[in-house]
Amino acid sequence: PAVIQAVLSNGTLPDAVAAKALAYIRSELLSSDDSDRQSAQSPLPNSLACQWLKVWLLRKNRMNHQEVPILEEYNFNLPSTAYHCGGLMAVYAAIQKAAMPDVNTGIVERYYASAIQMPALVIGQLSSRSNHHLEKIENGWLADKYREKLQEISVALGTSIPATLNLEQQSYFALGYYQMGAKLNQERNRNVAAAREKTGAAEE
């Protein structure tokens, strides 16, 4: 009823919407199965849950007279350190997946729950691990692309990583992770398709 009332009155959605969406995302990401591990792509948060988070944030920002540009794809200019922390984690997860495709328990399963609550405690550890994983990636071009992404996000993030994140910041973190993860998956699919086209042309 509270959600319906908010929609009818064009008001803010209750905080329970964000809390439940975040809990659902966390539950899905931490319960990976064999198909997730065998996939060449990193797991992404549930898209519908992310849409709820986006609507909750947009309405909350509008009521507070804040114009925060939450776009359909990753926005390097978005002024949210929590958002860019989520983006960093998506790149770290993709790097590990490329370096260790058969790993049983990945970065997401091990660190997502901690990173979304206490990023300052986790991001440094993931950065060190990513350097090791980058060295294992045989495709030098791909490794360089990941380094470029890390650099771009680090510039957007700045030098300050929050010690803890509140409900609003956790929502930005989840959106940043989702949008960067989706961007990386799309780029990977395009590269795979292009490589197959080249192979097919060569065979003809």
Side-chain angles (χ1 to χ4, degrees):
V3 172
I4 295 174
Q5 179 60 34
V7 172
L8 293 176
S9 64
N10 201 27
T12 58
L13 295 173
D15 290 351
V17 169
K20 289 183 178 181
L22 288 169
Y24 186 78
I25 288 171
R26 184 169 58 250
S27 175
E28 271 205 340
L29 288 178
L30 301 187
S31 59
S32 64
D33 54 26
D34 289 339
S35 62
D36 294 326
R37 286 190 287 269
Q38 292 172 5
S39 172
Q41 300 178 344
S42 302
L44 290 181
N46 180 275
S47 60
L48 183 58
C50 286
Q51 286 299 319
W52 276 109
L53 291 178
K54 184 177 178 181
V55 172
W56 179 76
L57 285 168
L58 287 171
R59 286 174 175 258
K60 185 179 180 69
N61 291 337
R62 186 177 64 216
M63 293 300 293
N64 293 332
H65 305 290
Q66 297 176 346
E67 294 296 330
V68 181
I70 306 175
L71 306 177
E72 292 299 323
E73 59 182 21
Y74 196 86
N75 181 7
F76 290 98
N77 296 317
L78 198 149
S80 168
T81 54
Y83 178 83
H84 297 302
C85 284
L88 277 179
M89 185 164 191
V91 182
Y92 293 146
I95 290 172
Q96 186 195 44
K97 195 70 174 177
M100 306 168 63
D102 299 323
V103 65
N104 288 327
T105 305
I107 282 175
V108 177
E109 293 86 356
R110 293 186 62 183
Y111 293 102
Y112 182 86
S114 299
I116 198 172
Q117 297 181 59
M118 299 174 290
L121 185 66
V122 179
I123 294 297
Q125 298 179 46
L126 296 182
S127 178
S128 299
R129 289 175 179 270
S130 74
N131 291 330
H132 175 65
H133 293 150
L134 280 168
E135 293 176 358
K136 287 188 172 184
I137 297 178
E138 296 180 357
N139 186 326
W141 177 87
L142 181 61
D144 287 341
K145 284 295 180 182
Y146 284 137
R147 291 189 182 96
E148 288 178 14
K149 284 288 188 298
L150 290 176
Q151 185 176 11
E152 287 180 297
I153 299 174
S154 296
V155 170
L157 175 63
T159 58
S160 177
I161 297 178
T164 59
L165 300 181
N166 59 27
L167 184 65
E168 180 178 342
Q169 292 168 324
Q170 288 183 34
S171 299
Y172 276 114
F173 182 102
L175 277 180
Y177 178 87
Y178 174 80
Q179 291 185 337
M180 177 51 69
K183 181 180 180 67
L184 293 172
N185 286 346
Q186 289 170 1
E187 291 177 357
R188 180 191 176 281
N189 290 339
R190 285 198 297 267
N191 294 333
V192 170
R196 285 176 178 171
E197 287 181 4
K198 288 182 179 179
T199 301
E203 290 177 350
E204 291 177 1

